[in-house]
Amino acid sequence: MSKVASNVSFTNEQVCYTFPARLRSGGVFSPAERLGVPPLDDFFTGTVQLLNIQILMIVILSNLLHFFLHRLGIISFTSQCLAGVILGPTILAKYDYYRDHIFPQKSQDALVVTANMGYSMFMFLTGVKMDFGMLLRSGRKVMILGIATVLLPYMIGLGFQFTRIEAAPGLLERMQIIGSTAIQSMTTFPVVSHLMTELKLTNTELGRLALSTSLISGIVAASLELGATIITQIRGILNAGLTLGSALFAAFVLRPIMVWVIGQTPEGQKVHPACVPLLFAVAVVYEIFFDAMNQSPAMGPFVLGLAVPPGPPLGSAVVQSMETVTTSVFFPLFVVTAVMRGDLASFFWEFDNKGYYGSSLVMATVTKFLVCLFLSLPWMPRRDSVVLSLIMCSKGVYELSVYTFHRDTTSINEGYFSLNVVAIFINTVIIPILIKHLYDPSRKYAGYQSRNLFSLKPRTELRVLPCIYKPDHIISTINLLDLTCPTQDNPLGVYALHLVELVGRATPVFVSHQKQKPVSDSCSIDVILAFNQYERRTATTTTVGTFTSISHHRFMSDDICTLALDKEVSLLLLPFHVKWGADGRVECADNSFRIVNSKVLERAPCSVGIFFDRTTSDGGDDQPDHFYSVCVIYMGGGDDHEALCFAMRAAREPSLRLTILHLVPSDDDDDDMSVSRRRNARMASERLYDEVVLKEAMKGISGLANVRYEEHAVEDGPQTALLVREIANEHDLFVVGRRHGLDSKQTMGLTEWSEFPELGVVGDLLASPDLETKTSVLVVQQQKQVKK
């Protein structure tokens, strides 16, 4: 037996350790009482028993607090911080028996090592769940926002510090303020990702925007940190170079290996059982390497996690294997033990320069909020801009880990550590509550950027997401995609989604057929083969990706909108729920898919087209001299603009005949006198804009001989219905705008008789069972932009 003095992690005191350590005690009823030691006290001397009791207390208390506090909008991280306050020297650790037996100094090494391992696992999982491709898809506005929200607050904060430099008495205090300004200026992806998960905003447009911005901000902050390492350390260049090299090794060596493993995994099957433990072992190696390079050890697993392809089968296997124990046990363990390091009560009266330090933190946070708000207001609604600014100001586990690391290495003093823990606690209390109060969940997929045909720039890829409900929809959908007439200058990106009802299994499945080998008995094999053949046929102008979603009907709309948001498509194509027979009459209808279509129309982050084809049953007209005739009915409004843009793309095909049928209201002075002057002016302005849009479209196809323009004046809805019936058999395809909620003279009186509101008034006329025709119809709804 030998005794040595050692510094422990929680407090800088000299204590005696006994070697070898006693891993297990003799139990509560051990013979230790013969030596004058109470049995319960002897039980607490075992390292294993003590560690189990400590973990049990931490997990139970943090979950019990969150059970009551989550009703107030408090997130789990805040509840865990509060548990650390209760279990630490602020409250319970002031009592001698608790401090000597429940959380004694000699037990803290085992507890801290376990907690730090849990934090590394959390960072690894955060990296695995992150799609690094969102950085490549970030627009210029998001890129500017991510960079500016780090650099501008940092520079303004430093300028503020230099104006008050005399308030800091020493070099250590000044370095602490500079470091704190840098930490307050950064926004890290792990913190934002955890917050979005807690608030259930990950799959929203706002959540994805926040994640993309935080990722860019994190890269900028990491670059600044590497630069500081090079400047301040003797071997800084070597450490930074090796750290960067390890990241490149993960991206360009390990990731291709993982992609190869995924490619060898049959579709719908799990990866080999050895893959997840092997990947975790590599994460441990990265943690050791980053620690050796004097970097944060947990950043090593995070960098490796970024290289793991997200989603099934590998990324989802890692998450399923590790997420529950990490988020339920190890993550709370780290947060609680980190907060337990500081006495958050005593610093209020023992810590000098509280005002100087506190004003620095407030200044950095306010500056960051205002910078983000100023840059996002021009292209976002005010309320959502405020919410995004609050998200970018959020702090959490990453900042807590940084302060804990510097506290343990004595880079900062106890008072300064406690101050920052209090600041993080206040931040995590206020910001989530404000976000829940300000954010409207009904705008989950609301778009801040234009994703529609009308706003698509020239020489830009058109991204389309066609949905396949049944095998009958495959041929008609591919024929409709052919009408987009892709070229090398204006290519087409197709992301075909096969939706299958979840039957006979408990959990939904989402499969990307680009990642895994398709199997012959796959439920989507017909879809995969058909679209692969379509891609080969249009190889120089079209790229195709196929996906399968197996879920309940009530969740299919979420799968559709999420994929549309992820792929940034401009047009969603949905099959109509009604199927026509060979004679052109209704054969069957599936109301469950009608509900799916209605939900997508309300939530979609892009334009939506509902398509039905009456000709697929008999193959259509096979005459060799037959020209495919398309008619677009134009009355004005955003939906009609979208329909016109689709028809203009189809006009590039020489074998196609396009008719633009412009329905204008006939002059009626009595009607004009009946409306208010303001409404009359608004209608005139909208009509003028519609004329400008039509004129610009006609100018673009002025040299095409296969385009014909017709103008008809109609008095009311019945006259429009009569005209539609007259021309119903003259064209193979009608392209119309949905015009939902728009009142006009051309459709007056028809809304009350509409059988299919999802098709709009004109689309409903063309889908009527009473209309004896075999024409097909595409009804287009332009993207619903959020209002500023």
Side-chain angles (χ1 to χ4, degrees), residues 513-530:
H513 299 289
Q514 291 74 251
K515 291 183 178 180
Q516 295 181 254
K517 294 190 302 183
V519 294
S520 58
D521 60 346
S522 171
C523 60
S524 302
I525 190 64
D526 293 338
V527 178
I528 298 170
L529 294 177

Side-chain angles (χ1 to χ4, degrees), residues 326-352:
T326 300
T327 57
S328 302
V329 179
F330 289 114
F331 182 78
L333 195 62
F334 174 79
V335 175
V336 172
T337 55
V339 176
M340 287 176 64
R341 285 167 163 82
D343 187 350
L344 306 188
S346 62
F347 94 97
F348 281 106
W349 54 83
E350 294 180 1
F351 181 48
D352 297 330

Side-chain angles (χ1 to χ4, degrees), residues 39 60 166 431 577 636 754 758:
I60 290 178
E166 69 281 354
I431 287 182
H577 70 283
S754 179
E758 63 270 29

Side-chain angles (χ1 to χ4, degrees), residues 168-178:
L171 178 62
L172 177 61
E173 287 76 9
R174 296 174 184 175
M175 293 303 296
Q176 289 178 163
I177 289 296
I178 293 175

Side-chain angles (χ1 to χ4, degrees), residues 474-629:
I474 298 175
I475 296 177
S476 60
T477 300
I478 291 178
N479 291 337
L480 185 64
L481 291 174
D482 282 332
L483 293 181
T484 60
C485 300
T487 63
Q488 290 185 351
D489 290 335
N490 297 280
L492 178 66
V494 178
Y495 302 94
L497 176 61
H498 184 207
L499 293 123
V500 182
E501 183 181 5
L502 182 64
V503 177
R505 61 193 307 167
T507 56
V509 175
F510 189 89
V511 180
S512 172
H513 299 289
Q514 291 74 251
K515 291 183 178 180
Q516 295 181 254
K517 294 190 302 183
V519 294
S520 58
D521 60 346
S522 171
C523 60
S524 302
I525 190 64
D526 293 338
V527 178
I528 298 170
L529 294 177
F531 278 93
N532 285 348
Q533 184 180 2
Y534 172 70
E535 183 178 29
R536 287 192 294 268
R537 178 166 60 86
T538 59
T540 59
T541 60
T542 306
T543 57
V544 176
T546 50
F547 304 85
T548 297
S549 172
I550 305 176
S551 63
H552 295 287
H553 281 109
R554 64 179 180 272
F555 299 129
M556 284 183 179
S557 59
D558 286 325
D559 293 336
I560 295 171
C561 293
T562 300
L563 184 62
L565 193 64
D566 184 54
K567 299 302 180 182
E568 298 181 354
V569 302
S570 298
L571 179 64
L572 261 169
L573 292 178
L574 303 173
F576 194 44
H577 70 283
V578 175
K579 179 183 178 182
W580 279 266
D583 57 354
R585 296 185 179 276
V586 175
E587 186 176 283
C588 64
D590 191 336
N591 285 323
S592 58
F593 284 118
R594 183 183 184 184
I595 295 174
V596 173
N597 289 349
S598 299
K599 288 182 178 180
V600 172
L601 285 170
E602 290 297 320
R603 305 176 182 179
C606 60
S607 296
V608 181
I610 295 183
F611 177 64
F612 58 88
D613 184 9
R614 290 189 174 100
T615 63
T616 53
S617 297
D618 60 357
D621 196 334
D622 296 329
Q623 298 177 11
D625 58 345
H626 173 73
F627 288 94
Y628 194 79
S629 177

Side-chain angles (χ1 to χ4, degrees), residues 33 115 165 169 193 237 314 346 382 400 411 479 512 562 655 785:
E33 55 184 337
I165 196 69
S193 175
I237 297 179
L314 183 58
S346 62
R382 284 190 295 271
L400 182 62
S411 300
N479 291 337
S512 172
T562 300
S655 63
Q785 290 276 17

